[in-house]
Amino acid sequence: AQKVTQAQTEISVVEKEDVTLDCVYETRDTTYYLFWYKQPPSGELVFLIRRNSFDEQNEISGRYSWNFQKSTSSFNFTITASQVVDSAVYFCALHNDYKLSFGAGTTVTVRA
Amino acid sequence: NAGVTQTPKFQVLKTGQSMTLQCAQDMNHEYMSWYRQDPGMGLRLIHYSVGAGITDQGEVPNGYNVSRSTTEDFPLRLLSAAPSQTSVYFCASSYTTYAGVGEQFFGPGTRLTVL
């Protein structure tokens, strides 16, 4: 069985603060993919990143960065210099064998 | 490209009624899937398909049926609606690779209430 845990239910920050979202996963497989999705208040799901289990390089995309550590089964996500538009629910997900398992999500509120 | 479309956007059913949620994609993706989203639980996989004629169960398949007669369409059928099926339903599609699936494109969702 595979499982994704996002221990932080809600995070509230003031604009321009950095915010890090934790994601811990469990799987017995050696080949898998990890994803992050964003769900703004409008409700749609927006893809942010896909990372395979063999690529442990950290990635930066604008104000977003991801830290994948296989040794601790974690795939954390940092928003640098947060903005009000970053307010959303963020989901971490694990894909293996054509099944995608989502964490419960972390609600991020960025106050002006 | 319309991407992934879902109909209807909203639906209210009475307990015991049946209905079909429609999902279509125009990206020629092999993989399609259905999720339900409930407060505090993230998205849970109901059923998925890796190609026309092939479907399989996800995490919460009970009470739902699917079929995949074409690459484009993947309808979800509720056989006898129950209040526990009140949820927001998302359909998604993706290309496939030798190791699994790529980025999933999600539809806008269907908000279903069962009274």
Side-chain angles (χ1 to χ4, degrees):
Chain A
Q2 51 193 43
K3 184 180 174 184
V4 177
T5 302
Q6 294 181 255
Q8 304 148 306
T9 307
E10 293 184 33
I11 299 176
S12 181
V13 297
V14 176
E15 213 171 13
K16 296 185 184 172
E17 286 185 351
D18 296 349
V19 56
T20 294
L21 310 181
D22 298 331
C23 173
V24 175
Y25 61 91
E26 296 174 28
T27 180
R28 291 183 211 162
D29 298 295
T30 55
T31 302
Y32 51 88
Y33 290 90
L34 295 162
F35 295 80
W36 275 95
Y37 283 88
K38 173 182 178 180
Q39 187 175 42
S42 51
E44 74 271 24
L45 284 146
V46 178
F47 166 81
L48 296 177
I49 190 169
R50 169 180 178 257
R51 174 55 52 87
N52 76 53
S53 53
F54 296 107
D55 182 2
E56 286 194 70
Q57 274 192 326
N58 290 336
E59 179 150 345
I60 298 174
S61 175
R63 295 184 296 106
Y64 295 168
S65 61
W66 290 268
N67 181 5
F68 177 28
Q69 293 199 333
K70 213 166 174 178
S71 59
T72 56
S73 297
S74 65
F75 187 42
N76 297 337
F77 171 36
T78 297
I79 304 171
T80 302
S82 60
Q83 300 175 1
V84 172
V85 293
D86 295 326
S87 296
V89 182
Y90 291 86
F91 293 100
C92 180
L94 168 67
H95 169 264
N96 173 258
D97 195 24
Y98 299 105
K99 296 181 183 178
L100 197 61
S101 299
F102 283 80
T106 298
T107 300
V108 173
T109 303
V110 181
R111 309 186 307 277
Chain B
N1 281 355
V4 180
T5 58
Q6 290 183 239
T7 55
K9 282 189 168 31
F10 301 93
Q11 182 70 50
V12 179
L13 292 178
K14 293 182 181 176
T15 297
Q17 286 185 315
S18 62
M19 81 158 294
T20 299
L21 307 185
Q22 300 291 345
C23 175
Q25 53 95 5
D26 61 359
M27 296 171 281
N28 203 31
H29 286 161
E30 303 95 335
Y31 184 88
M32 296 186 75
S33 54
W34 277 102
Y35 300 86
R36 59 177 289 172
Q37 182 176 21
D38 301 295
M41 300 188 73
L43 283 82
R44 292 181 293 167
L45 181 65
I46 305 172
H47 285 285
Y48 66 97
S49 168
V50 297
I54 307 169
T55 63
D56 207 345
Q57 296 181 349
E59 182 185 352
V60 288
N62 292 343
Y64 307 96
N65 271 4
V66 292
S67 59
R68 184 97 179 269
S69 55
T70 66
T71 299
E72 294 78 19
D73 300 298
F74 192 43
L76 178 72
R77 280 181 287 278
L78 281 72
L79 307 174
S80 177
S84 60
Q85 292 179 305
T86 294
S87 188
V88 180
Y89 291 84
F90 287 96
C91 178
S93 75
S94 171
Y95 60 86
T96 55
T97 70
Y98 68 93
V101 301
E103 167 195 351
Q104 297 221 23
F105 292 82
F106 284 85
T110 294
R111 186 173 294 274
L112 175 68
T113 301
V114 183
L115 303 174

